[in-house]
Amino acid sequence: MTALDDLPIRDELRGETPYGAPQLDVPVRLNTNENPYPLPEELVARIAERVGEAARTLNRYPDRDALTLRTELAGYLTRVTGHEMGPREVWAANGSNEVLQQLLQAFGGPGRTALGFEPSYSMHALIARGTGTGWLSGPRTADFRIDVAAAVRTIAERRPEVVFVCSPNNPTGTAVDADTVRALYDAAQAARPERGALVVVDEAYEEFSHGPSLLPLLDGRPTLVISRTMSKAFGAAGLRLGYLAADPAVVDAVQLVRLPYHLSAVTQATALAALEHTDTLLGFVGRLKEERDRLVRELRAAGCTVTDSDANFVQFGLFEEEGGAHAVWEALLERGVLVRDNGVPGWLRVTTGTPAENDAFLDAVRAVMKERRQ
């Protein structure tokens, strides 16, 4: 049988493994940052209605530019952030990963580099590699904040064409303040005075944050991009709908590399139905924020070190001995609870679940911590 390394794949892909988290059949799965609440029945019925309407014209290609959907997404952003947006400033694709891929296809590529601040969302580096874009890892402080002074120096020295900022950051949950983004944006433009550099703020978890969106920073910053998703706050991970907000010229740029008719009529119909039920879905977000804060309190009470979180997940540890984090991961799994081992030394990440799921997780953690103390 032919092995992967026997194939004429690109050299930078050799030895790599696909992105993904374990999909195990256990009672409590809290490892992929999904929204644990099923869509309400009235929304399911509305999705069926809209998809049924779309099905009547599936012999035709969908709206190539998804203009109706982009208009509704712009309206949603305007309402929740207070920053006026129009459809020409919004672009949608199959999950925020495709949005990021299109941005790197347009602004990255061979001979160009992207900079991110690790640990962070690992798909930033993987998509960079997949598009032939060089990858640079920028500095963070011991508490997982971006080291602004060191980051500005790195940008000046390495002159990346694309800079990624994740806020709230995955897997740490830490948010990034507006002053930090302003400093990184200014440094990136100064390093590339001829045409500037693209700065992408990944706000996949923004609806769960204590603080405001960074969307208002778009004003006067033509190469700043805000990326978002419907997978988390909208409880629609299976939908695969991501979107960006940016200067209309950036939207024009990603259309140069998008595949023809990339967003199906069924996807567009489902997303439009979900947007009709925004208030209901964001009500679930309020519950999850309360549960997330409870997880932080109870994990600390159990003797864990916990990173302050603005997302729908919590990073906890600190299991400093070699292999300690993975040993705790295995001990929790033995008790029927699946969390995420991201490979950050000493740390694990748990998604906020339903109250019952969180109770089961916390009971398992307390038992494991008691064993460790003994």
Side-chain angles (χ1 to χ4, degrees), residues 275-344:
L275 286 164
E276 292 176 9
H277 289 74
T278 296
D279 291 340
T280 300
L281 295 172
L282 292 186
F284 292 126
V285 170
R287 295 189 206 174
L288 289 169
K289 289 168 72 172
E290 292 176 358
E291 281 294 299
R292 172 204 60 206
D293 293 343
R294 179 169 78 95
L295 285 179
V296 170
R297 292 192 303 270
E298 294 297 329
L299 283 168
R300 286 174 174 162
C304 295
T305 302
V306 182
T307 308
D308 290 337
S309 177
D310 274 82
N312 70 332
F313 55 84
V314 176
Q315 179 178 257
F316 67 102
L318 184 61
F319 314 111
E320 296 184 282
E321 72 276 16
E322 185 175 351
H326 193 70
V328 172
W329 179 87
E330 290 180 329
L332 293 173
L333 185 60
E334 289 173 0
R335 290 166 171 80
V337 179
L338 179 61
V339 299
R340 187 69 180 270
D341 182 356
N342 283 297
V344 181

Side-chain angles (χ1 to χ4, degrees), residues 125-337:
L126 290 174
I127 295 173
R129 187 180 300 117
T131 58
T133 309
W135 179 255
L136 303 170
S137 184
R140 285 190 181 272
T141 60
D143 62 352
F144 300 106
R145 307 283 175 181
I146 294 176
D147 186 331
V148 178
V152 167
R153 290 194 299 271
T154 300
I155 290 171
E157 293 167 1
R158 305 302 295 272
R159 304 180 66 239
E161 280 82 3
V162 182
V163 176
F164 283 105
V165 179
C166 198
S167 180
N169 186 48
N170 180 11
T172 65
T174 46
V176 179
D177 60 62
D179 286 343
T180 296
V181 174
R182 291 189 191 98
L184 298 179
Y185 184 88
D186 291 346
Q189 309 322 305
R192 290 260 167 205
E194 60 281 5
R195 283 193 177 90
L198 198 73
V199 177
V200 182
V201 179
D202 187 335
E203 281 196 343
Y205 301 95
E206 167 53 33
E207 284 93 343
F208 300 96
S209 179
H210 297 97
S213 169
L214 296 169
L215 201 75
L217 294 181
L218 291 175
D219 282 348
R221 295 178 176 86
T223 55
L224 180 64
V225 178
I226 306 293
S227 170
R228 284 192 166 212
T229 181
M230 294 185 75
S231 294
K232 313 302 180 184
F234 281 81
L239 171 61
R240 310 310 302 130
L241 196 290
Y243 56 103
L244 65 76
D247 188 276
V250 173
V251 175
D252 291 343
V254 296
Q255 292 189 62
L256 297 174
V257 298
R258 61 98 185 267
L259 294 174
Y261 310 104
H262 71 295
L263 206 56
S264 78
V266 172
T267 297
Q268 293 183 47
T270 305
L272 285 167
L275 286 164
E276 292 176 9
H277 289 74
T278 296
D279 291 340
T280 300
L281 295 172
L282 292 186
F284 292 126
V285 170
R287 295 189 206 174
L288 289 169
K289 289 168 72 172
E290 292 176 358
E291 281 294 299
R292 172 204 60 206
D293 293 343
R294 179 169 78 95
L295 285 179
V296 170
R297 292 192 303 270
E298 294 297 329
L299 283 168
R300 286 174 174 162
C304 295
T305 302
V306 182
T307 308
D308 290 337
S309 177
D310 274 82
N312 70 332
F313 55 84
V314 176
Q315 179 178 257
F316 67 102
L318 184 61
F319 314 111
E320 296 184 282
E321 72 276 16
E322 185 175 351
H326 193 70
V328 172
W329 179 87
E330 290 180 329
L332 293 173
L333 185 60
E334 289 173 0
R335 290 166 171 80
V337 179

